[in-house]
Amino acid sequence: MGGEVMLYAFGSNACGQLGIGDKNDTSIPQPCHVLDGWQWPAPIATVKGGGSHTLVLLKSGDLYASGLLRDERTGLRSSEDSVVKFHRVQSAALSGSQVKLCSALWEASIIVTTNDEIYTFGVGSKGELGVGEGVQGVSHKLDRFWPPEEHILDLASGPSHAVVVLSNGEVYGWGNGRKGQLGQPAEIVWRPRKIAGLDFKVVRAVCGQEFSYLVSRDDERYHIVLGSDKWKVASNAPAPIIGWECLSANWGSIFVINYSGEVHAWGRNDHGQLGPGRYPGPLESLAAGSEHALGLTSHDKVVAWGWGEHGNCGPGLDAQGDVKERFNTIKLDHFGKASKPMGVAAGCATSFVWTQSADGESPPKLPFEHAIKST
């Protein structure tokens, strides 16, 4: 499917992390600005949201960023403290390499290039940069710590720790490991360290605030939660889920979608983070933010639930600012009939939906409210 690619955002925006051209929170999806317009130059692979910054990785391998620039946490260099539109990350450290994986921590970013080089940017007060104690800012290339015949399969992070999964099933991590989320000993890990004691080959990882969730291939049926058992995220974990297709985690909960589109969720639920349990059709994908989540159904509906105080679950909250024991349907009317939702992402009280129009059809008409603000 070709056609015009658009990215829409809603939620917390005090530092311009939504990339919609201003610094106002919004509960109504607004088009993100890129290249002095709204149409992206290539399909979107993923979106990652940090504390006050956002990364957008295109399938072409190009990386874009918006939001807070302090300590160069996005890889962008500017005299401004923040940017409210998405700019391409063209760090000299990359030397023209394309990006295959990225992740956003609270005050840092990590990228993996197609050459399997790892770069970190931002603040590393708890080891988030993986290059030693007392280092922060600019770009840092990590020394290769894995065998030359292996490659990086996956990258995941919580607010202050990160893990990478290798093609041989080993996992390395760095950052804040004081709760055991990076294995033992439980401590700050200043440089990449192998997580010892795993008795299965890992193929995928997701991270919460103080835990890491590691899974094997579906036919091997192994998984493990490392770290804090607050909210019983470890002790309430079910048996390995057969036919898993999508994994995600917010700060205190874990989500797994199986091949039938069924959602298995456990962990923190005081703001309705685990969702209502029933959705308007099977879910094709799910993205968990800090304390909320978005789902994309097989019928092209986007739904949101959890803590939505900043508008990140759309309009229509309870008195506590939550969408609890129900879901909000994110209205896509203003996306235009020609546009199909292709993916969802969620960050720290931020939400994103990207769409693509069919070949030969007009791109979606911009929301009237935003068109006025952009003149």
Side-chain angles (χ1 to χ4, degrees):
M1 179 180 179
E4 305 292 350
V5 178
M6 302 280 288
L7 176 65
Y8 296 84
F10 50 107
S12 179
N13 195 35
C15 295
Q17 59 265 47
L18 296 184
I20 59 176
D22 58 39
K23 294 184 179 181
N24 302 317
D25 290 6
T26 178
S27 62
I28 305 298
Q30 302 289 341
C32 299
H33 293 242
V34 62
L35 301 176
D36 298 321
W38 291 273
Q39 297 171 15
W40 289 75
I44 293 171
T46 191
V47 179
K48 301 293 184 180
S52 297
H53 67 289
T54 304
L55 305 177
V56 177
L57 177 60
L58 304 186
K59 291 184 178 180
S60 63
D62 293 330
L63 184 70
Y64 290 77
S66 69
L68 194 63
L69 303 183
R70 192 176 303 151
D71 303 301
E72 299 185 16
R73 65 192 62 189
T74 63
L76 294 174
R77 292 188 176 186
S78 173
S79 58
E80 301 177 47
D81 186 59
S82 61
V83 291
V84 298
K85 300 179 180 181
F86 282 97
H87 295 258
R88 186 180 173 190
V89 178
Q90 295 177 302
S91 172
L94 298 180
S95 302
S97 298
Q98 300 302 103
V99 178
K100 71 173 184 177
L101 298 168
C102 68
S103 194
L105 295 79
W106 187 254
E107 296 180 304
S109 299
I110 304 171
I111 63 174
V112 179
T113 71
T114 52
N115 297 326
D116 264 359
E117 296 174 333
I118 302 176
Y119 294 89
T120 58
F121 310 83
V123 177
S125 57
K126 295 179 181 177
E128 295 93 330
L129 302 184
V131 290
E133 189 171 357
V135 181
Q136 65 183 42
V138 298
S139 62
H140 304 277
K141 179 181 177 182
L142 273 61
D143 293 333
R144 189 178 181 100
F145 52 82
W146 61 97
E149 67 274 12
E150 305 297 341
H151 64 271
I152 297 173
L153 195 63
D154 197 17
L155 165 70
S157 69
S160 59
H161 76 286
V163 297
V164 293
V165 179
L166 303 184
S167 53
N168 62 2
E170 295 179 346
V171 182
Y172 285 74
W174 62 91
N176 186 359
R178 288 173 172 169
K179 299 295 184 178
Q181 59 266 51
L182 297 174
Q184 298 299 321
E187 61 188 6
I188 290 179
V189 181
W190 295 104
R191 297 179 183 276
R193 183 183 75 184
K194 182 179 176 180
I195 296 179
L198 299 175
D199 55 3
F200 64 93
K201 291 184 177 180
V202 177
V203 298
R204 184 77 201 282
V206 293
C207 297
Q209 185 172 22
E210 295 179 337
F211 66 83
S212 302
Y213 179 54
L214 312 176
V215 301
S216 71
R217 285 186 344 194
D218 178 57
D219 59 348
E220 295 178 347
R221 300 181 186 177
Y222 291 102
H223 68 169
I224 190 171
V225 180
L226 300 176
S228 172
D229 195 30
K230 190 176 182 179
W231 312 110
K232 296 185 178 181
V233 72
S235 56
N236 278 356
I241 295 163
I242 299 173
W244 67 264
E245 289 197 348
C246 176
L247 307 178
S248 195
N250 59 29
W251 285 2
S253 313
I254 296 173
F255 303 84
V256 180
I257 299 179
N258 68 11
Y259 56 82
S260 299
E262 299 171 333
V263 180
H264 300 261
W266 66 97
R268 185 174 183 177
N269 197 37
D270 54 333
H271 294 284
Q273 293 96 318
L274 298 184
R278 299 185 68 180
Y279 304 92
L283 293 190
E284 288 190 345
S285 63
L286 184 152
S290 49
E291 299 293 358
H292 75 292
L294 271 68
L296 174 60
T297 77
S298 58
H299 305 301
D300 295 338
K301 291 185 179 295
V302 176
V303 294
W305 63 89
W307 178 68
E309 183 178 340
H310 291 277
N312 45 295
C313 290
L317 309 176
D318 64 20
Q320 288 71 46
D322 299 331
V323 179
K324 194 172 184 179
E325 298 179 358
R326 62 183 181 87
F327 58 82
N328 275 347
T329 299
I330 305 303
K331 294 186 180 299
L332 309 183
D333 300 2
H334 58 279
F335 288 10
K337 292 183 179 179
S339 294
K340 175 183 173 64
M342 302 299 292
V344 293
C348 297
T350 56
S351 298
F352 300 87
V353 181
W354 55 97
T355 68
Q356 194 164 347
S357 61
D359 283 326
E361 295 183 320
S362 300
K365 186 177 180 180
L366 294 182
F368 181 66
E369 175 189 355
H370 198 91
I372 292 175
K373 293 193 294 184
S374 301
T375 57

